[in-house]
Amino acid sequence: PQPRGRTGAAPAARGRTAGHPTGPRRPPPPAGPPGKGPSRRGSSRSGGPPRRPPARRQPKPPGLFWRYRRIWFLLGFLVFTAIAGAAFVITQIPLPSEAPLARTTLIFDSSGRQVAELHGVENRFPVALEEVPLITQAAVIAAEDRKFLEHKGVDPWAILRATWIDIRRKGDTQGGSTITQQYVKNQIVGSDRTLVRKLKEAVVAVKLERKHSKPEILEKYLNTVYFGRGAYGIEAASQTYFKHPASELDLKESAYLAGLIRIPSEGDVFVDPDSAYFLRSSVLANMVRSGAITQADADDVEATRIEHYVFAPEKVDTSFTSPSNGVEYFVEHVRQTLFRTYGEDRVLRGGLRVHTSLDPKAQAIAYDTIYGANGYLPPEGAERDPIAALVSLDGDGRVVAMVGNRDWAKSQVNVAVGADGGGSGRQGGSAFKPFVLAEAVNRGMSVTDKYYPGPAKIGPLPGWEEEVHNYNDAAFGYVNLTEATVHSVNTVYAQLVDEVGPANVVRMARDLGITSDLAPVPSITLGTQEVSVMEMANAYLTFFNDGVHVDARVITRVTDGDAVLVPDEPSGRRRAIPREVAEKVRAVLGAVVERGSGTAARLPNSDVWGKTGTTDGFGDAWFVGGNEKLVTAVWMGYEEGQARQLLNVRGIRQVAGGTLPAAIFRDFVNGAAPGDGKKATVAPLDASSLNSPTPGVTTTLPWAVATTVAPAEETTASTTTTAPPAQAT
């Protein structure tokens, strides 16, 4: 063989020369279609059709985020910058060295003289955490912050959960604060519901956790948290509710106190038992869930009634500066009003300055007129002696005098304000008739030209189950509305309420100032439903103000430091009835005093008007009216209600509204607001309107009887209605 690379022979390419005896042989190309030569896949020289290259994949369009990535980046940058800036500013807030001290709230009368102080039972000697039983600590942690030992001051998951619940409930707030945050809110940053305050709270909570240990924070919390009844801190709470130190608390007591933290006032078993039991059950369930107690332990506590181991509340938050003239009942009403408006915590610790409407001179005269040495009722009072209440208002609705009961030390029931004073309302009797009269006059009915038969008895009418009687079963023939009011003719008013409609009388009473629940039944015309002395005075004040209603008020001004929280301005001012309606009703009530059942209230130099009221069986006696300066309501009866009758009191065989109540009204007004001699003209008795059928008669009854006019006294008839109240008289 010829050597490689010599001339005369072409060098062979390694691995590619087909005929070379030593080179690799390529496999034959695959056979093509019949009649065609061999071809190579993809080769155009093979003679076969070329194969189409695979299609190229189209790129996906950019997403929404990517298309607006610059905008999103800008927004994110701005949010980050804002949060970072706010966090930087907030982190500059130093931790205070101690919590602010509680300040006493002061109450003043209209002359500026202090009459009372309101304060909490502040725990000025905090207990160490070692003195608080472990079961109590576990109950508080289970109730308020189950992850207290795990988080660093803020629990993000609790905040997210609370936020989601708030959104779903559309307005109901759900707590997501840790124990540390609650302490910070109560003692450092305040409780304003703003985003800035929440950010401050979170930042300070984190800083507090870095400075203090968990036991130290829990100790601070337990010594400052509010448990209701003016008790701040676990020691004060234990003494208030159980009369023993916190070191002796057991499981059932601890669960009750832990439940109070969320809603201190409403959670009190003597205020809202349902809430108290629900809160205790929630705490026990959380303690079982966290492993602090067993289910058997929880069941044992659930089987125990809370009332068996919790003491009833005592009024320890009021210090009276001058406990005389029954001022305690007025102050207690002010206290309850403040609690409803601002909450117990702010009132008992906030250092408010509360100026009230109480006129010390008028208050002394009112109390002495009723319970003084020369009063109409004995100052000491025996079991057989009734009580009386009085409320007097000026034209702006200010309560210048309030007598709620005889002796604060013996009874804290304030009869003057009804259910708000711990008692109940009283049936208004015929003192309710002016509301029916106002509705009739408002409908265009005449008080002089329209006549009704006034028989001794009628009925039963539609809606009544029994007959309606006049006082002493006296008949009046045909009378107009003026004389029917002057002599309090029940049978005429039974017809009148049917004509105007009981539902419209309820609406009129509401417009005038009655706030108690009223049933639209015919017997409403006889005053069978319960109202308070305050309400009656406020409703008659609308007549005094020529048809303009203003709310009765005991607080005229409240300040908190330099801030004025309540200015001295009338509230609820609105027109209830036209001026001419109020004037006509007031003129008719003037005739009641001049020559009707209210003659005992007359004053020589004062334009007095009003209406008497006496319920069946002499259970309640009223006089409500006014003169040129004040509107005053006087009630007399027994604290236990109509179970007892006003018989043989101070030499009077039967006490009706025209006797002692009218006399109390007269003496009080004569001393507190004597008239100026400008008396209004009262229409004289129209004798022709009595016992004389006239063409103006609109109602005729077959049982109408004409007899002599009854004495100037009245009482509601004994009736039974087809709807509540059950004590209809």
Side-chain angles (χ1 to χ4, degrees), residues 32 58 96 165 200 210 223 225 322 335 355 472 593 627 669 675 694:
Q58 296 294 330
I165 293 176
K200 287 182 180 180
R210 293 177 180 175
N223 281 319
V225 68
S322 56
R335 187 184 79 107
H355 300 266
N472 281 344
V593 175
N627 71 339
V669 172
T694 70

Short mmCIF file of all heavy atoms in Angstrom, two decimals, residues 32 58 96 165 200 210 223 225 322 335 355 472 593 627 669 675 694:
data_model
loop_
_atom_site.label_atom_id
_atom_site.label_comp_id
_atom_site.label_asym_id
_atom_site.label_seq_id
_atom_site.Cartn_x
_atom_site.Cartn_y
_atom_site.Cartn_z
N GLY A 32 -36.27 5.35 -0.19
CA GLY A 32 -37.33 6.33 -0.38
C GLY A 32 -38.56 5.67 -0.94
O GLY A 32 -38.65 4.46 -1.05
N GLN A 58 -46.00 31.24 20.69
CA GLN A 58 -46.21 32.68 20.84
C GLN A 58 -46.01 33.09 22.31
O GLN A 58 -46.49 32.43 23.22
CB GLN A 58 -47.64 33.06 20.41
CG GLN A 58 -47.92 32.80 18.94
CD GLN A 58 -47.09 33.71 18.05
OE1 GLN A 58 -46.76 34.82 18.44
NE2 GLN A 58 -46.74 33.22 16.87
N PRO A 96 -43.78 56.84 79.80
CA PRO A 96 -43.94 57.63 81.03
C PRO A 96 -43.47 56.84 82.24
O PRO A 96 -43.53 55.62 82.28
CB PRO A 96 -45.44 57.89 81.07
CG PRO A 96 -46.04 56.77 80.29
CD PRO A 96 -45.05 56.43 79.22
N ILE A 165 -63.73 40.24 61.66
CA ILE A 165 -65.03 40.18 62.32
C ILE A 165 -65.71 41.53 62.27
O ILE A 165 -66.93 41.64 62.05
CB ILE A 165 -64.85 39.69 63.78
CG1 ILE A 165 -64.38 38.23 63.79
CG2 ILE A 165 -66.16 39.82 64.56
CD1 ILE A 165 -64.08 37.69 65.17
N LYS A 200 -49.61 54.37 67.91
CA LYS A 200 -48.87 54.67 69.13
C LYS A 200 -48.97 53.53 70.13
O LYS A 200 -47.98 53.12 70.75
CB LYS A 200 -49.42 55.95 69.76
CG LYS A 200 -49.07 57.24 69.03
CD LYS A 200 -49.64 58.42 69.80
CE LYS A 200 -49.32 59.73 69.09
NZ LYS A 200 -49.87 60.90 69.83
N ARG A 210 -40.02 45.22 75.69
CA ARG A 210 -38.57 45.15 75.71
C ARG A 210 -37.99 45.61 77.04
O ARG A 210 -36.92 45.16 77.45
CB ARG A 210 -38.00 46.02 74.59
CG ARG A 210 -38.30 45.49 73.18
CD ARG A 210 -37.78 46.44 72.13
NE ARG A 210 -38.07 45.95 70.78
CZ ARG A 210 -37.80 46.64 69.67
NH1 ARG A 210 -37.24 47.85 69.77
NH2 ARG A 210 -38.09 46.13 68.49
N ASN A 223 -53.12 45.70 88.52
CA ASN A 223 -53.24 46.75 89.51
C ASN A 223 -53.91 48.01 88.98
O ASN A 223 -54.16 48.95 89.75
CB ASN A 223 -51.87 47.11 90.08
CG ASN A 223 -51.40 46.12 91.12
OD1 ASN A 223 -52.17 45.66 91.96
ND2 ASN A 223 -50.13 45.76 91.06
N VAL A 225 -56.37 47.85 85.93
CA VAL A 225 -57.54 47.61 85.09
C VAL A 225 -58.82 47.86 85.89
O VAL A 225 -58.86 47.66 87.11
CB VAL A 225 -57.51 46.18 84.52
CG1 VAL A 225 -57.71 45.14 85.61
CG2 VAL A 225 -58.56 46.01 83.42
N SER A 322 -73.38 68.48 101.44
CA SER A 322 -74.40 68.93 102.40
C SER A 322 -75.64 68.07 102.23
O SER A 322 -76.57 68.43 101.52
CB SER A 322 -74.75 70.40 102.15
OG SER A 322 -75.16 70.60 100.81
N ARG A 335 -75.80 61.68 88.84
CA ARG A 335 -74.77 60.64 88.70
C ARG A 335 -75.14 59.63 87.63
O ARG A 335 -74.31 59.28 86.77
CB ARG A 335 -74.57 59.94 90.05
CG ARG A 335 -73.40 58.96 90.08
CD ARG A 335 -73.35 58.25 91.43
NE ARG A 335 -74.34 57.20 91.49
CZ ARG A 335 -74.05 55.89 91.44
NH1 ARG A 335 -72.80 55.49 91.34
NH2 ARG A 335 -75.01 55.00 91.51
N HIS A 355 -71.98 71.37 86.56
CA HIS A 355 -72.86 72.41 87.09
C HIS A 355 -74.30 72.00 86.81
O HIS A 355 -74.66 71.66 85.67
CB HIS A 355 -72.54 73.75 86.43
CG HIS A 355 -71.13 74.20 86.67
ND1 HIS A 355 -70.78 75.03 87.70
CD2 HIS A 355 -69.98 73.90 86.02
CE1 HIS A 355 -69.48 75.25 87.68
NE2 HIS A 355 -68.96 74.57 86.67
N ASN A 472 -118.48 60.21 92.71
CA ASN A 472 -119.73 60.19 93.49
C ASN A 472 -120.95 59.92 92.62
O ASN A 472 -122.08 60.24 93.01
CB ASN A 472 -119.93 61.51 94.25
CG ASN A 472 -119.08 61.58 95.51
OD1 ASN A 472 -118.59 60.57 95.98
ND2 ASN A 472 -118.91 62.78 96.04
N VAL A 593 -108.45 75.67 88.31
CA VAL A 593 -107.94 76.21 89.57
C VAL A 593 -108.89 77.28 90.12
O VAL A 593 -109.10 77.38 91.33
CB VAL A 593 -106.52 76.78 89.37
CG1 VAL A 593 -106.03 77.47 90.65
CG2 VAL A 593 -105.57 75.67 88.96
N ASN A 627 -97.45 78.59 87.15
CA ASN A 627 -97.83 79.99 87.23
C ASN A 627 -96.98 80.75 86.21
O ASN A 627 -96.56 80.15 85.21
CB ASN A 627 -97.67 80.53 88.65
CG ASN A 627 -96.21 80.68 89.08
OD1 ASN A 627 -95.32 80.03 88.51
ND2 ASN A 627 -95.97 81.51 90.07
N VAL A 669 -94.98 77.11 95.40
CA VAL A 669 -94.91 78.18 94.40
C VAL A 669 -94.94 79.54 95.08
O VAL A 669 -94.21 80.47 94.69
CB VAL A 669 -96.07 78.04 93.39
CG1 VAL A 669 -96.12 79.25 92.46
CG2 VAL A 669 -95.92 76.76 92.58
N GLY A 675 -96.10 85.09 92.36
CA GLY A 675 -96.56 85.77 91.16
C GLY A 675 -96.29 87.26 91.20
O GLY A 675 -95.95 87.84 92.23
N THR A 694 -128.68 71.63 73.99
CA THR A 694 -128.67 72.74 73.03
C THR A 694 -128.50 72.18 71.64
O THR A 694 -128.15 71.01 71.45
CB THR A 694 -127.50 73.69 73.32
OG1 THR A 694 -126.28 73.03 72.99
CG2 THR A 694 -127.47 74.10 74.78
#
